[in-house]
């Protein structure tokens, strides 16, 4: 396993257009720290307003390809794919093929068994608003390859998991985010439409009408040649995911240029015959559990500012897509690292910056150069209590911390005393005695501080 090297930092951003209708310096101030802190290897920020559109690439595509990504670089989209599934649902409602209150059971063959509860069946709307009562993942999900966990999971497996499942909560009540529910929704719509696959339905109804030729579930040769390799939260190479039966919940691969076309149509920045269905998909259908907002047909809606948004993450990527309907501004962030701790918050800030609302950049920890002898001095055994201990080791230009009964977690220097983790939301600060020896560290995590004394 390797840490993200300093050679990947401070790569100059590249623009896909010479014009700057949308505040490039401000965008740089928000996004560049993600590269400087090693939070991602490569990222493309795309913004579209009535003044124009622009994509800016940061970092480098891979250690073997020093070029910065651009609007044509391909990324896995993850759960932002769900918004496409929600749009497909609204299109089929508008076309009279289904209604939102149709039981999903009615879209499958009669021998298909979808769970019900207290005499109520799961509807298409329940699936699109995460109120079906279905769990996040099916109980028979046991990946053969943990690096590509969805590849061997079929529609038959999904339906088999549902046939004997007992719902633990009433349908239409408490929200529970469910990849299983949206995947089932997309597969049900595919069956009802008579399409040979979800990808065909999606291509015919959305991607082709919006000229999104670089957005597909199955990579074309051209897309594969422009694919940014994925990385885990610590910058190690990660395999691409084939989502198979779960494609409606997260299987799209896209470019920032294509996503700006999608978002510009959703935000009514550019005209599209799909807009009536898009607009209907944005309307609040149920309360959301987070921030007092709401949920449309898979789209999330913030109470704070009315932003319509979704994020996504696969094994090697994290993405954000959102827009402010009243301001007619939209933002997409595509990152080749599965770490979204700061990316989503930056996405919201960029929406406001480009809408003309003063919003300060987010403070993001960035890497500092620390001498090896300082790192060596911190290595050793520490104890929070008699039974709970922590071992600190040096690993090249950073440290690792292994707590009792857990795996080692890399921590990267923010200064010569403070170190931050990328894979988890945690930091450690070392303290020295008057004689200069290291006496303890404080673990900052989940809003609490715990002191571990050196043994």
């Amino acid at each position: 396993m390797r840490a993200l090297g300093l050679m990947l930092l401070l790569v100059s951003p590249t623009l896909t257009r010479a014009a700057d209708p949308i505040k490039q310096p401000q965008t740089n101030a928000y996004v560049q720290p993600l590269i400087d802190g090693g939070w991602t290897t490569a990222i493309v920020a795309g913004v579209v307003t009535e003044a124009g559109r622009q994509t800016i690439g940061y970092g480098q595509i891979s250690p073997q390809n020093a070029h910065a990504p651009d609007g044509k670089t391909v990324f896995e989209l993850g759960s932002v794919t769900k918004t496409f599934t929600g749009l497909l649902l609204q299109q089929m409602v508008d076309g009279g093929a289904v209604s939102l209150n149709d039981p999903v059971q009615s879209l499958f063959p009669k021998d298909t068994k979808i769970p019900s509860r207290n005499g109520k069946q799961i509807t298409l709307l329940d699936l699109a608003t995460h109120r079906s009562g279905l769990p996040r993942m099916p109980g028979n999900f046991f990946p053969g390859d943990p690096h590509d966990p969805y590849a061997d999971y079929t529609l038959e497996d999904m339906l088999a998991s549902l046939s004997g499942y007992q719902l633990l909560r009433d349908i239409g009540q408490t929200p529970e985010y469910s990849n299983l529910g949206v995947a089932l929704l997309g597969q049900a719509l595919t069956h009802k439409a008579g399409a040979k696959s979800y990808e065909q339905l999606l291509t015919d109804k959305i991607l082709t009408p919006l000229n999104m030729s670089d957005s597909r579930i199955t990579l074309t040769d051209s897309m594969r040649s422009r694919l940014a390799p994925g990385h885990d939260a610590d910058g190690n190479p990660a395999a691409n995911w084939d989502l198979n039966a779960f494609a409606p919940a997260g299987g799209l691969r896209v470019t920032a240029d294509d996503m700006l076309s999608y978002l510009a149509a959703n935000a009514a920045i550019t005209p599209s015959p799909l807009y009536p269905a898009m607009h209907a998909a944005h309307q609040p259908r149920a309360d959301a559990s987070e921030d007092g907002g709401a949920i449309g047909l898979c789209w999330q809606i913030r109470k704070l500012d009315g932003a319509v948004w979704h994020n996504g993450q696969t094994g090697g990527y994290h993405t954000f897509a959102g827009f402010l309907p009243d301001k007619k501004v939209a933002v997409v962030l595509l990152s080749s690292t599965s770490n979204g701790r700061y990316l989503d918050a930056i996405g919201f800030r960029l929406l406001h910056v480009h809408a003309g609302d003063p919003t300060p950049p987010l403070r993001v920890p960035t890497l500092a150069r620390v001498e090896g002898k300082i790192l060596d001095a911190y290595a050793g055994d520490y104890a929070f209590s008699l039974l709970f201990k922590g071992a600190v080791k040096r690993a090249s230009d950073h440290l690792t911390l292994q707590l009792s009964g857990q795996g080692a977690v890399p921590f990267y220097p923010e200064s010569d005393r403070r170190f931050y983790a990328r894979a988890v939301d945690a930091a450690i600060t070392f303290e020295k005695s008057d004689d200069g020896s290291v006496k303890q560290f404080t673990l900052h995590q989940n809003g609490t501080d715990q002191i571990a004394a050196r043994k």
Side-chain angles (χ1 to χ4, degrees), residues 40-52:
T40 183
T41 301
I43 187 169
V44 178
V47 183
V48 58
T49 70
E50 291 181 298

Side-chain angles (χ1 to χ4, degrees), residues 324-345:
L324 294 171
D326 294 340
K327 303 287 187 177
K328 291 195 174 183
V329 56
V331 166
V332 63
L333 297 173
L334 303 178
S335 167
S336 66
T337 302
S338 60
N339 193 322
R341 177 138 29 115
Y342 297 104
L343 189 141
D344 297 343

Side-chain angles (χ1 to χ4, degrees), residues 206-225:
I206 300 176
L207 303 181
T208 297
L210 292 176
N211 295 315
M212 297 175 67
S213 58
D214 278 334
S215 298
R216 293 292 185 272
I217 292 169
T218 304
L219 290 168
T220 65
D221 290 342
S222 175
M223 290 175 65
R224 189 177 299 278
S225 71

